[in-house]
Amino acid sequence: MARPKSEDKRDALLAAATRVIAAQGLSGPTAVIAREAGVSNGSLFTYFETKADLFNQLYLNLKTGMAAVSLNGLPDQAPLREQFSRMWSNWTRWATSNPDQRRVLALLDVSDDIAPPTRAAAHQAMAEITGMLEQARACGPMRDAPMEFASAIMNSLAETTMDFMVNDPAHADEHRRVGFDALCRMLGCLFF
């Protein structure tokens, strides 16, 4: 009879995969990931059937974690701008505090190994943020643009803001504010 799987080992493997992929890219060997986690390579495949399965579970884990942090402490009854501002601050702080996770998420986001059901589950994890974006753009200049387009612009703006925050930490708060102001101008009428 097989031993029950340990949540701690699974978490250690996901953390090790994050470190290895951040350092070596998606071609980082599973043997290195297993060694980094302190388990045998065979044990890795007890938790993840294939390397692609590991990538999919890691992607979903990172997206879910990022969404949870981004939504933490949102004032329920506050105006949308205040909620969006808190989400933006949480998101950019998460990214600048977790550079390996941010890098790995970017690599996995463009990987063909991430299956459509995993992408759909990640999209669901981001549903509250997507809903906020939908509400914010409802009567502004992005109202007629496809949601995917508005979301891509917001992500690009966030990535640029995060890059400046990382590269110029002395002015990180200013970069965060300027990035948020640009987002507000893009979204329009609910924010002014």
Side-chain angles (χ1 to χ4, degrees):
M1 181 162 73
R3 283 190 276 169
K5 293 180 183 177
S6 159
E7 195 66 29
D8 289 341
K9 276 189 184 178
R10 181 183 178 283
D11 292 345
L13 285 162
L14 290 172
T18 300
R19 292 188 299 275
V20 171
I21 294 169
Q24 299 181 23
L26 297 177
S27 63
T30 57
V32 174
I33 293 169
R35 186 173 53 244
E36 178 80 16
V39 303
S40 70
N41 198 34
S43 289
L44 183 144
F45 292 106
T46 299
Y47 291 87
F48 309 100
E49 290 181 24
T50 63
K51 190 174 185 181
D53 181 39
L54 170 64
F55 286 173
N56 277 268
Q57 291 190 41
L58 180 58
Y59 179 76
L60 187 55
N61 181 275
L62 292 173
K63 276 285 199 182
T64 301
M66 181 185 71
V69 168
S70 297
L71 295 168
N72 186 38
L74 292 187
D76 290 335
Q77 303 303 319
L80 183 60
R81 181 185 172 102
E82 187 177 328
Q83 290 182 28
F84 227 86
S85 176
R86 173 67 68 92
M87 182 276 297
W88 181 264
S89 292
N90 290 347
W91 183 17
T92 55
R93 282 191 184 101
W94 172 85
T96 57
S97 299
N98 298 285
D100 285 354
Q101 291 179 7
R102 179 180 173 222
R103 176 171 165 63
V104 170
L105 195 51
L107 291 170
L108 291 171
D109 202 34
V110 296
S111 171
D112 291 336
D113 286 321
I114 305 305
T118 303
R119 290 191 190 280
H123 181 74
Q124 186 59 38
M126 303 293 288
E128 192 171 341
I129 294 170
T130 302
M132 290 172 61
L133 179 58
E134 273 288 355
Q135 189 179 356
R137 75 185 191 110
C139 61
M142 298 299 291
R143 70 182 161 273
D144 295 327
M147 180 58 185
E148 295 80 16
F149 184 72
S151 182
I153 290 175
M154 182 178 80
N155 286 329
S156 295
L157 182 55
E159 288 298 325
T160 300
T161 301
M162 294 167 196
D163 287 344
F164 273 80
M165 291 171 68
V166 167
N167 294 326
D168 185 15
H171 298 101
D173 288 337
E174 178 66 12
H175 297 307
R176 182 183 300 112
R177 187 191 62 71
V178 169
F180 184 69
D181 286 348
L183 177 65
C184 290
R185 291 178 193 287
M186 176 194 88
L187 293 174
C189 70
L190 289 179
F191 285 159
F192 294 102

